[in-house]
Amino acid sequence: MITLTEVHKKYSSEVTIGPVTLEIPTGGITALVGPNGAGKSTMLTMVGRLLGIDSGTIEVAGYDVTSTASKDLAKIVSILRQENHFVTRLTVRQLVAFGRFPHSKGRLTTTDEEIISRSIDFLDLAELEGRYLDQLSGGQRQRAYVAMVLAQDTETVLLDEPLNNLDMKHSVLMMQHLKRAAQELNRTIVIVLHDINFAGHYSDYICAMKHGKVVQFGTPERIMNDEILSEVFETPVQVIDGPNGPLAVYY
Amino acid sequence: MAPPRTTPKLPGKSLFNRASGALPTKKTRTRYWVVFSLMLALALSFSFGLLAWDNPMPVGSDGFWLIAQMRGSSILTMAIVAFCQAVATVSFQTVTNNRIITPSIMGFESLYIAVQTASVFFMGAAGVVALQGIWQFTLQVAIMVVLACLLYGWLLSGKLGNIQIMLLVGIILGAGLGSISTFMQRMLSPSEFDILTAKLFGSMNNADMSYMPVAIPLILIAGFFLISNSRKMNIVALGRDTTMNLGINHRTEVMRTLFFVSILMAVSTALVGPMTFLGFLVATLAYQLADTYDHRFVFPIAFLTGFVVLSGAYFVMKNIFYAQGAVSIIIEAVGGITFLIFILRKGRL
């Protein structure tokens, strides 16, 4: 469970995040949606303690992210940012192996190797594990990064726009992988999404943000609704019944 | 919890083979150790060559060792410089997340040049002598380390705390100090300028053996910290966000590393003078040769490469072209050209 209490972050007199008070339940996928500049990524990075907060408290699984030692937190919550450029030349397996660092401090045991193999297999990367990252396509590379945070074996996984730069097929595959990770590996996954229909179909909860504040939080059935979406995205949205559940139409 | 592995085993790829690690396959392991042995052999043969070539006494006799001992000091200096430049540059590139910069651009060399120039400018030829001695050496190292730490501490702790700005300020400080030095050099008499110039080309002969009791412990401490921290450095190389995600305090690691890097660079510069591109040349070659991300394997190769480049250049210049003084210029030229080719090939900084 992730609990945010009166979280506040000030950038300038115009740009502030919060105060945000929110409870994200354990298990399942929670999608953060909202217009550009709503503070979705900022909130995610604050939960993942990559960015400090000005006031309030954030707790992940009962641990305060500002006061808990970073090395302990690394076993509880993992975060993957949007832009990942490494100067280091790594193979897929070497990258995924880094995810075990909080547990093994760089000395991999056979258990670590098993978990690494499992994460790689989980994302269908077994055949690519010896390849270097710069030899992969964007979708494969994104999967390798996700495999790394899964290998970290944390209860909570935060992903900042993992569908960015992925085509239709790879977006769907990625969401299916994440859904499976949430169900089969019992992870709590919080994910920033731009496509409301992906959020509506794959997530268990949707958190809508606007102007640095949480404006709606609930199940997709509740959020996928004309008025709520039109108000959140400040553009007319119509929700229709699609073959696999509600579909937002906005173009 | 997690499902059992469902992926069928690939032919010829048993579970045992599925190991992570710096050198994952047999081929990369073999390659690494072949390269390592080759560099070691080259380093040893160049050292032996420097000791024995042109040595009039038969190998093994007392006279041979007497002459060898005198030449040994320059080999020791080369080893120290190679170690400082190699370890410092590899570490610096890791914490700055950039494979084309070297710590020399942080103003160490300009500071060294400014101190040397100022001493000649204010005290004449006697100034060069006044700068020799173990205390002066220690002081010079201390000034460079303090300056570097102030710069790092100030620039990395502020609100704008970021490495790009720190580098930029370092370069500008270096340029400023350089202009002051040039200005003073303009006003020197030709003979004083000649004395100064000899000091300003990096040369193994600048090193005074009496500095060693200070220099060696310093680099051993700094080197020990940097090398023993290799596993963390592997993570730091992935950038700030990934580092923090994996539970390492990025800022602490960067500051600590920069502190030890500044010690290594200060010792090297105070010992032999500026060597701008040696570090870059060595680090770039080492990454090509070692072909791994793991600092535990890159550091030894980088050190050996540095030593081979230095001793090889000295050996060739001294015994084949009889132009010992030009060695550092040659290394800088080769290093600079490598740098240009690297940038042009990569197309970006």
Side-chain angles (χ1 to χ4, degrees):
Chain A
M1 188 163 71
I2 303 171
T3 321
L4 293 91
T5 321
E6 292 293 310
V7 173
H8 197 86
K9 172 92 190 170
K10 192 170 176 177
Y11 277 108
S12 63
S13 51
E14 292 95 51
V15 186
T16 56
I17 304 282
V20 173
T21 300
L22 177 68
E23 213 167 85
I24 297 175
T26 310
I29 296 182
T30 302
L32 293 181
V33 298
N36 289 340
K40 309 179 294 286
S41 294
T42 310
M43 201 170 89
L44 200 77
T45 42
M46 289 194 296
V47 174
R49 53 98 170 74
L50 300 185
L51 187 71
I53 52 177
D54 290 344
S55 63
T57 52
I58 300 178
E59 281 184 9
V60 179
Y63 295 88
D64 189 321
V65 296
T66 38
S67 59
T68 309
S70 188
K71 63 179 191 329
D72 299 327
L73 220 45
K75 297 177 194 169
I76 299 162
V77 56
S78 54
I79 177 164
L80 180 68
R81 293 296 302 274
Q82 217 180 108
E83 298 283 326
N84 292 289
H85 283 296
F86 298 146
V87 287
T88 321
R89 197 156 174 266
L90 295 170
T91 64
V92 171
R93 196 177 176 91
Q94 287 170 343
L95 176 80
V96 178
F98 277 128
R100 296 304 300 163
F101 187 84
H103 305 270
S104 63
K105 302 291 169 221
R107 286 165 222 270
L108 298 174
T109 62
T110 41
T111 325
D112 289 324
E113 295 284 9
E114 272 170 35
I115 295 174
I116 294 163
S117 298
R118 222 183 301 151
S119 306
I120 289 174
D121 296 347
F122 194 85
L123 285 151
D124 289 334
L125 287 164
E127 319 221 341
L128 301 172
E129 71 172 17
R131 290 250 217 120
Y132 283 95
L133 289 179
D134 50 15
Q135 300 167 331
L136 301 183
S137 72
Q140 293 168 334
R141 211 174 303 144
Q142 190 68 282
R143 251 152 63 206
Y145 296 138
V146 173
M148 173 179 146
V149 290
L150 286 187
Q152 209 175 325
D153 208 9
T154 56
E155 186 197 304
T156 307
V157 178
L158 312 172
L159 303 168
D160 192 355
E161 291 194 37
L163 304 188
N164 212 5
N165 299 327
L166 296 191
D167 60 21
M168 237 187 266
K169 174 187 161 199
H170 289 102
S171 298
V172 170
L173 281 175
M174 176 62 82
M175 288 312 294
Q176 285 169 351
H177 285 309
L178 293 177
K179 188 83 186 165
R180 267 180 61 217
Q183 285 167 351
E184 295 171 16
L185 309 180
N186 278 322
R187 309 292 175 90
T188 306
I189 298 178
V190 183
I191 172 173
V192 175
L193 282 181
H194 260 301
D195 191 327
I196 182 68
N197 287 326
F198 270 107
H201 186 74
Y202 288 101
S203 61
D204 300 292
Y205 305 96
I206 294 180
C207 170
M209 291 187 73
K210 196 174 148 183
H211 302 314
K213 295 195 174 59
V214 173
V215 287
Q216 292 289 343
F217 183 88
T219 56
E221 291 76 41
R222 198 173 79 70
I223 306 287
M224 293 297 277
N225 145 333
D226 294 6
E227 291 110 79
I228 292 179
L229 290 184
S230 304
E231 194 217 307
V232 167
F233 290 97
E234 293 171 336
T235 186
V237 181
Q238 224 185 334
V239 177
I240 58 168
D241 269 329
N244 305 316
L247 270 183
V249 182
Y250 47 85
Y251 22 72
Chain B
M1 269 313 281
R5 289 187 52 233
T6 47
T7 322
K9 275 183 201 169
L10 304 168
K13 204 175 181 192
S14 70
L15 190 67
F16 178 75
N17 277 341
R18 292 194 71 180
S20 320
L23 304 163
T25 59
K26 197 157 182 260
K27 204 176 124 207
T28 49
R29 268 194 296 276
T30 319
R31 184 179 175 279
Y32 178 85
W33 291 112
V34 165
V35 167
F36 182 86
S37 320
L38 214 66
M39 294 311 275
L40 192 66
L42 270 177
L44 289 177
S45 47
F46 277 131
S47 323
F48 181 75
L50 280 170
L51 293 178
W53 192 280
D54 240 5
N55 191 328
M57 309 300 282
V59 174
S61 67
D62 289 347
F64 172 84
W65 286 115
L66 198 71
I67 295 172
Q69 220 165 39
M70 293 195 294
R71 297 178 178 181
S73 68
S74 66
I75 291 184
L76 179 67
T77 314
M78 282 178 215
I80 289 177
V81 171
F83 182 82
C84 288
Q85 296 276 350
V87 175
T89 310
V90 170
S91 308
F92 190 75
Q93 292 185 341
T94 294
V95 296
T96 51
N97 235 315
N98 191 325
R99 283 275 173 84
I100 60 145
I101 56 178
T102 93
S104 346
I105 63 167
M106 291 305 302
F108 289 109
E109 292 175 356
S110 324
L111 186 70
Y112 173 84
I113 293 173
V115 169
Q116 299 289 337
T117 309
S119 67
V120 176
F121 182 76
F122 289 113
M123 292 182 275
V128 171
V129 183
L131 272 189
Q132 279 162 0
I134 194 155
W135 289 112
Q136 284 87 333
F137 171 77
T138 315
L139 188 71
Q140 214 171 350
V141 170
I143 291 176
M144 287 194 232
V145 172
V146 168
L147 180 97
C149 288
L150 283 178
L151 190 67
Y152 301 149
W154 169 50
L155 287 166
L156 285 180
S157 62
K159 217 177 165 112
L160 290 168
N162 99 35
I163 287 174
Q164 317 295 337
I165 296 178
M166 181 190 80
L167 290 176
L168 194 63
V169 172
I171 293 169
I172 291 170
L173 273 183
L177 284 171
S179 330
I180 295 173
S181 307
T182 313
F183 173 69
M184 289 192 286
Q185 284 167 8
R186 283 264 165 174
M187 303 204 283
L188 291 178
S189 73
S191 58
E192 284 171 340
F193 184 71
D194 192 41
I195 295 170
L196 180 65
T197 311
K199 292 286 289 181
L200 294 187
F201 282 119
S203 163
M204 293 305 134
N205 304 328
N206 279 352
D208 187 330
M209 279 305 114
S210 65
Y211 297 163
M212 292 307 166
V214 178
I216 292 176
L218 271 179
I219 67 158
L220 285 183
I221 294 168
F224 174 77
F225 172 81
L226 290 172
I227 293 172
S228 65
N229 207 29
S230 291
R231 289 175 205 273
K232 278 191 183 170
M233 296 299 279
N234 294 340
I235 306 273
V236 172
L238 301 179
R240 177 181 173 276
D241 290 340
T242 312
T243 308
M244 288 181 68
N245 171 42
L246 294 173
I248 296 172
N249 188 331
H250 185 253
R251 224 179 72 83
T252 316
E253 289 305 319
V254 170
M255 291 292 279
R256 239 193 293 180
T257 305
L258 288 178
F259 172 69
F260 288 109
V261 164
S262 68
I263 289 180
L264 290 180
M265 288 309 290
V267 168
S268 166
T269 310
L271 211 52
V272 299
M275 288 264 172
T276 314
F277 286 115
L278 178 67
F280 167 78
L281 179 67
V282 165
T284 307
L285 285 178
Y287 275 113
Q288 302 287 333
L289 291 173
D291 196 24
T292 173
Y293 68 91
D294 195 331
H295 289 71
R296 287 176 302 154
F297 295 101
V298 175
F299 280 135
I301 292 280
F303 168 57
L304 284 176
T305 311
F307 186 78
V308 167
V309 167
L310 277 176
S311 59
Y314 263 75
F315 183 77
V316 169
M317 295 309 282
K318 186 179 165 197
N319 296 315
I320 297 173
F321 296 114
Y322 306 103
Q324 211 188 128
V327 171
S328 67
I329 305 171
I330 298 295
I331 292 176
E332 295 297 81
V334 172
I337 291 167
T338 317
F339 182 77
L340 274 179
I341 293 172
F342 194 73
I343 289 185
L344 290 176
R345 250 188 47 192
K346 224 176 145 202
R348 67 182 173 87
L349 281 181

